[in-house]
Amino acid sequence: MGILEISHVTLRLDGRPILNDLSLDLWEGHVHAIIGPNGAGKSTLASTIMGLPGYTQYEGDILLDGESLKGIPVHERARRGITLAWQEPARFEGLPVQRFITAGAKDKTRKHAAEALETLGLEPQKYLGRSVDKTLSGGERKRVELASILAMDPRIVLMDEPDSGIDVEALEKIFEALKQLKERGVTVVLITHSLTVLDRADHAFLMCHGTLLDKGNVEKIGGYFRNKCLPCDHINRPQKEEIQ
Amino acid sequence: MSTQNVVAELLKSIGVNPDHPFGDDVARIQVHQNHVVGIHLIPGLKVEADETKDGIAAHLLVEEGAVLKKPVHICFGVLPEEGLQHIQLNIDIRQDSKASILAHCTFPNAKQVEHVMDAQITVGPRAHYAYFERHVHGPYGGVQVIPNAKIVVHEGAEFSTEFELIKGRAGTIKFDYEAECRARSILEMTARINGRENDIIVIQETAHLIGEAARGALTSHIALRDSARAEVFNTLTANAPRARGHVDCKEIVVGQAVAKAVPIVEVMHPTAHVTHEAAIGSVDSKQLQTLLARGLDEEEATDLIIEGLLSKKTAFSSTLPLS
């Protein structure tokens, strides 16, 4: 069943179309991947769904449970269950990990924060008293951010490049969190250009130049991306016959 | 009000239960206006305090080689709405000693209170001295805090001072600290202040690294809302071989508030090295968007970011039982 519908969305930044009449449906409880080359508009799509500043003036519509999100501010979208994990999470000087993790959670207890950290393979005793600042590595911050998302119990999680800047061990922990989100029935959107990440999805969309080129099962989209997109010499200038 | 009641009120205002204040192993000095209302000393610590017309003149000495295991608690306060408190303080931390002070300055009802401190601080060779000062102000903004300190940190000594004013209205704060750091000494000066409405904050911190391999760090973290104003003048000079210094000034400005930072860094030796970073502006957009995406509205998110900036404690204050 569809939970989020992107309907003919066109978004221009500095007069240049970044999303071009894009339409796709996200199914509830599924892990979706949106794969495409750099500059395809994948992160822009995530920012537009989240309603971040600068990404609100789009044509077309985005519907959550059939209801338009136009004019709905970021925090209200989050309260309705949509959230975003950044490719490079922010640092918060002085802000304790526990306060950060429970910021958007109903349950603000240390126990709740500790459980979320454990899911991400981070020892609570070692991390709860620390700050979300430069003393955490990029991979640690990424896992702490995902812990904050688990703690808020969302309905839709947009994960922008979950494998960027982290080691293999951290990626495995992120995949474990992904599994837990799926078990909870959360809809996940993996924004990626990695075939490793794509493999964790149930279903995939292929984007190029702000347009949906294809959609379908992971093997089919992965094969197309590997064979056609990676060696492509006209990246983000898709030929007419390639557009669905 | 009896002396006992004054002490109880002072302690209550800083969140300490007057029925269970401190153990006998904790030295303490409590001053209300120009009266010393409580004092308890431990071996290694000597205090002479004279009441003056508008405050006290005190000499605090930590004896050579003495190690005070627990922080000395000092409480300066003015409970009425109006008053002047002038503290003249001579702090002498003798060589090879180790001491720390947890100070509370409390003005919970202030509508027109002036708190002036003139301090001379000497940290003897190889001594360690840490000073944490938390201000507790009421909601009216009627406090003027004017601390001045001249500090000498001798060879191999370590000194850290931290000023915190987060709850209540800052009122007017103008402080001026100047330190001289001798060979292999370490100095850390930190201020964390939350200003709102028409509060005025002026910070002048100066450190001179005059001894070989002396190290100094000046840190100011300030949040300003409404029409509050702040000016931070951090000066760090280094004229000795291998001296190292850093100036860090971060100010978050919300609403009509105005912030100014003037870091002055002067290096007069080819092997000395001093760095500075200053960041003044509104709340970082990525931090804000992250918290908005967790469902906090803009005001809640801003408050949390500011709480983080202002709660960043030093190695010493993070060990104190402050909550």
Side-chain angles (χ1 to χ4, degrees), chain B residues 240-261:
Chain B
R242 297 184 292 113
R244 295 285 182 270
H246 182 66
V247 177
D248 169 20
C249 177
K250 292 194 177 71
E251 298 183 64
I252 291 180
V253 175
V254 180
Q256 304 302 308
V258 178
K260 179 175 163 183

Side-chain angles (χ1 to χ4, degrees), chain A residues 79 83 88 91 99 148, chain B residues 286-287 293-295 307 312:
Chain A
R79 287 173 188 181
T83 194
E88 196 183 328
R91 292 175 185 163
R99 291 280 283 136
S148 80
Chain B
K286 190 157 184 183
Q287 294 176 343
R294 302 291 175 270
E307 181 189 312
K312 192 181 179 191

Side-chain angles (χ1 to χ4, degrees), chain A residues 110-198:
Chain A
R110 184 181 170 88
K111 185 171 172 271
H112 191 55
E115 284 167 0
L117 276 177
E118 275 168 352
T119 304
L120 272 303
L122 298 173
E123 284 176 53
Q125 299 94 317
K126 217 169 132 187
Y127 286 91
L128 282 175
R130 292 176 67 179
S131 298
V132 191
D133 59 14
K134 61 186 174 189
T135 63
L136 294 180
S137 70
E140 286 172 323
R141 257 186 298 129
K142 211 147 179 151
R143 286 196 269 173
V144 166
E145 181 177 54
L146 209 46
S148 80
I149 283 174
L150 283 175
M152 75 180 278
D153 205 13
R155 295 181 66 204
I156 300 173
V157 179
L158 308 161
M159 291 171 70
D160 195 0
E161 305 286 4
D163 60 337
S164 130
I166 58 168
D167 58 29
V168 177
E169 190 194 350
L171 186 59
E172 277 309 311
K173 297 298 178 189
I174 285 174
F175 286 154
E176 277 174 35
L178 178 64
K179 200 173 143 197
Q180 194 175 111
L181 286 168
K182 188 174 156 63
E183 282 166 5
R184 289 186 195 177
V186 176
T187 305
V188 179
V189 182
L190 302 167
I191 306 288
T192 188
H193 54 247
S194 153
L195 291 164
T196 310
V197 174
L198 177 71

